[in-house]
Structure formats: C-alpha cells, structure tokens
C-alpha cells in the first residue's frame, strides 16, 4: 500500500505517573487506538520513531517519563488544497499569515503535508514554525505563528490571558423575525447580541453543543448589513471555545452559511471547494510582548457579498 509520509515529525511527551506501559511501543499503541498495533510495530522496525537526539526507538525501548518521542504521521491519501496561504507580516519571532478555507493549521486527520505550518516552513526555509493559537480547518483568516521556539510561550500567553483582540466576519440567513422587521423597515442596524452560555462536547465528540450550567463562553455579535436576506455579521469571541462562534450563531437561530456541522452534521464526503464555511478571522490586534510594538493585521472579508 502506498503511503504519504509527513516531511516533518510530530512528537509526544511520555507522561509522568504512568505504570501501565513497559515499553514506548506499548504507550504509542494505547495513545493512538485508531492506529493498529502492528502499524506502530512496523514504524519502529522501519526506523520511523526516534528520541529527541535522533537515536531510534526500538521495540524493546523502555517507557521513560518526560522524554519526547518523535514519529512521522502517514496517511494513505492526502488531498491537495487548491488555495494559497499569504504571509502578511514576518520578523525574527513571528509570522502573521492568511490561512485559506479547507487548509489545516497543523498535521491532523488525513493531512500530513497539506497544512499551513508545513507550507510556511517550506516558504521561509525554517522548520520551526508553530501556531500560537487555533483556527479551524473550515475557517479562513488571520493567524499568528511563531518562528523562534523560545518565543512561542509569550505569544501563546496573549491568547490565554485575553490580551489579543480577535475580530471575525460571518454570513448567515436572517431569522424569520428579522426578515419581517427588514421588510417593514423596522430593522435598525447595527443590531447587537451578547452571547454567554455553556459549551460542551457533543456527539460525535468533534462537535460541540450547549448545556445547562455556568457559562464558559462569551461572544459579542453584531449584524451590520443585509443583502438578499443574508446578514453580514461582525463577531468578537471573548473566550476561545472550540466552534464557539458557530455554536453561538446557531443559538441565535442563524447558523452560518455552508456549515457542515451545525445545525445538522452532514455526511462525510469530499470537500466542496465552491461552498466554504462563511466564517473569516478578519483581524488580529495586539501589543507585541517582546518589543512592545502595537500590531493590527487584517485580511479581506465578506464586504462584497
């Protein structure tokens, strides 16, 4: 069987306090149950798993807590994403990039080399590019990545501490109530919502849902214009839960256009590149934690919809 192998290794840190695993292979088999045991055994025998110093992991290598184990992801088929990323800014520490729809940020699922980090590593000639935050595969827009590994922590902390301003744009069909107000000239724009609720994992686990209890998510959402019954929204996530903006728009009765997850999970199938999710991370604004410079970067949004 022909396999596509990642050009850059992934790694996992062997956890502390584990007594269940005698060997590294035992741990890898348990850690990644979706990969058959014989596949891990074959990878080790083929020299595709190694320690941080480059020495190979063997079938008999003992589990050693806190050590890093490097491996190369492999998939049978890797689809090409026919959209280009853009570098909006670069210095010694960071890259601000535009990520197109359908492109994953880091290797995951059936993508090992068709990802933003690999493309950027190839473009700048360095293999240390890493994301400072998340951006869904389905979402396009501005993303902050680090180049210098020693500087990743202060940039990542911008997102942890809420010291960075994130602004999105989205398109969604108006609710019947809003359409009625629009038809009677009673809809005054901008129209604003503050959305706070509790988001938890759904079923299947890669989806999210609302639940009772203390709110753990917060978004500020504004409807700023309407064209042919489709609203243009500005969204500011105050917290950063997975799929937060998609779930919050759904909670307002206005799921995003071309959303394959919400309100109903669509059957798995090939990407429809003509119908990307109508969500763009339009702007990032922050004070650089290293040099104190004020930054604001943005990409094209849905203004011409």
């Amino acid at each position: 069987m022909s396999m596509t192998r990642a050009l850059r290794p992934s790694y996992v840190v062997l956890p502390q306090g584990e007594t269940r695993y005698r060997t590294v292979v035992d741990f890898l088999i348990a850690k990644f149950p979706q990969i058959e045991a014989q596949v891990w055994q074959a990878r080790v025998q083929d020299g595709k798993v190694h320690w941080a110093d480059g020495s190979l992991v063997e079938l008999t290598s003992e589990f050693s807590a806190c050590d890093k184990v490097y491996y190369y992801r492999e998939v049978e088929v890797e689809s090409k994403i026919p959209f280009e990323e853009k570098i909006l800014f670069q210095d010694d520490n960071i890259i601000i990039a535009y990520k197109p729809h359908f492109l994953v940020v880091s290797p995951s699922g059936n993508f090992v080399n068709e990802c933003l980090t690999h493309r950027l590593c190839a473009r700048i000639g360095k293999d240390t590019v890493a994301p400072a935050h998340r951006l869904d595969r389905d979402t396009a827009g501005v993303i902050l990545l680090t180049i210098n590994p020693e500087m990743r922590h202060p940039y990542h902390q911008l997102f942890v501490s809420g010291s960075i301003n994130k602004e999105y744009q989205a398109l969604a069909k108006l609710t019947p109530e809003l359409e009625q107000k629009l038809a009677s000239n009673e809809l005054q724009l901008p129209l604003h919502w503050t959305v706070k609720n509790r988001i938890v994992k759904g079923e299947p686990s890669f989806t999210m849902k609302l639940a009772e209890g203390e709110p753990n998510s917060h978004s500020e959402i504004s409807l700023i214009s309407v064209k042919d019954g489709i609203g243009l929204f500005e969204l500011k996530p105050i917290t950063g839960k997975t799929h937060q903006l998609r779930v919050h728009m759904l909670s307002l009765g206005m799921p995003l256009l071309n959303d394959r997850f919400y309100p109903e999970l669509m059957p798995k199938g090939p990407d429809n590149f003509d119908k990307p999710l109508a969500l763009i991370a339009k702007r990032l604004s922050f004070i650089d934690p290293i040099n104190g410079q004020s930054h604001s970067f943005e990409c094209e949004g849905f203004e011409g919809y």
Side-chain angles (χ1 to χ4, degrees):
M1 180 185 300
S2 177
M3 303 290 287
T4 298
R5 173 180 165 177
L7 298 177
R8 301 171 63 213
S10 301
Y11 73 85
V12 61
V13 179
L14 302 182
Q16 288 182 302
E18 284 288 0
T19 58
R20 294 175 292 171
Y21 310 114
R22 184 179 64 83
T23 67
V24 173
V25 175
D26 290 338
F27 169 76
L28 292 173
I29 292 171
K31 172 72 174 176
F32 302 101
Q34 71 276 20
I35 301 175
E36 296 181 359
Q38 57 265 37
V39 172
W40 278 117
Q41 292 162 353
R43 287 181 181 179
V44 168
Q45 290 175 319
D46 292 341
K48 297 177 181 177
V49 183
H50 61 84
W51 300 104
D53 64 3
S55 60
L56 296 181
V57 170
E58 300 177 351
L59 291 176
T60 56
S61 294
E62 294 184 359
F63 180 93
S64 178
C66 298
D67 283 349
K68 288 183 179 180
V69 173
Y70 291 77
Y71 60 95
Y72 291 85
R73 294 174 55 90
E74 294 179 320
V75 295
E76 292 183 34
V77 178
E78 182 175 36
S79 300
K80 297 297 182 182
I81 305 303
F83 305 110
E84 291 296 320
E85 74 287 349
K86 298 176 184 177
I87 294 179
L88 306 178
F89 172 84
Q90 179 182 344
D91 63 16
D92 291 339
N93 295 320
I94 62 173
I95 292 177
I96 305 295
Y98 166 77
K99 184 194 82 67
H101 290 102
F102 301 103
L103 186 68
V104 294
V105 173
S106 302
S108 65
N110 290 325
F111 298 95
V112 293
N113 295 318
E114 274 293 278
C115 65
L116 181 65
T117 52
H118 174 69
R119 287 187 180 186
L120 292 176
C121 285
R123 284 183 64 171
I124 71 171
K126 296 184 178 180
D127 63 359
T128 55
V129 176
H133 61 116
R134 298 191 309 266
L135 200 59
D136 291 342
R137 175 176 181 255
D138 294 331
T139 305
V142 182
I143 182 171
L144 167 61
L145 307 99
T146 58
I147 301 172
N148 184 347
E150 295 179 359
M151 297 298 178
R152 183 178 186 275
H153 179 72
Y155 288 101
H156 175 65
Q157 282 299 114
L158 291 173
F159 297 88
V160 175
S161 64
S163 302
I164 195 161
N165 184 43
K166 297 177 290 183
E167 299 177 33
Y168 288 69
Q169 281 191 349
L171 299 176
K173 189 176 186 302
L174 299 186
T175 63
E177 178 186 13
L178 291 178
E179 285 185 326
Q180 185 175 5
K181 287 185 176 182
L182 179 66
S184 59
N185 293 319
E186 297 175 0
L187 185 61
Q188 296 185 352
L189 301 180
L191 184 61
H192 185 77
W193 296 267
T194 293
V195 184
K196 296 181 179 180
N197 46 40
R198 186 167 189 81
I199 295 179
V200 299
K201 284 190 175 183
E203 181 59 44
S205 60
F206 56 81
T207 63
M208 308 300 287
K209 65 179 182 180
L210 298 183
E212 297 293 328
E214 185 72 19
N216 61 1
S217 63
H218 175 193
S219 299
E220 298 292 331
I221 299 174
S222 296
L223 171 62
I224 60 173
S225 66
V226 181
K227 181 179 179 181
D228 298 328
I230 301 300
L232 172 62
F233 294 83
E234 288 185 348
L235 311 95
K236 296 182 179 181
I238 308 304
T239 55
K241 293 295 180 183
T242 300
H243 295 176
Q244 176 176 310
L245 296 177
R246 299 162 74 168
V247 173
H248 280 178
M249 285 296 295
L250 176 63
S251 74
L252 297 176
M254 294 177 285
L256 301 185
L257 295 186
N258 304 327
D259 196 333
R260 291 178 56 85
F261 286 9
Y262 309 99
E264 204 174 314
L265 181 62
M266 302 296 288
K268 189 173 181 180
D271 291 323
N272 184 344
F273 295 130
D274 293 326
K275 290 187 175 182
L277 176 70
L279 181 64
I280 289 179
K282 182 172 173 58
R283 184 179 295 108
L284 277 181
S285 304
F286 60 96
I287 303 298
D288 194 298
I290 306 303
N291 58 31
Q293 184 176 352
S294 178
H295 288 305
S296 183
F297 304 98
E298 66 178 272
C299 65
E300 185 178 348
F302 293 119
E303 288 84 356
Y305 79 108

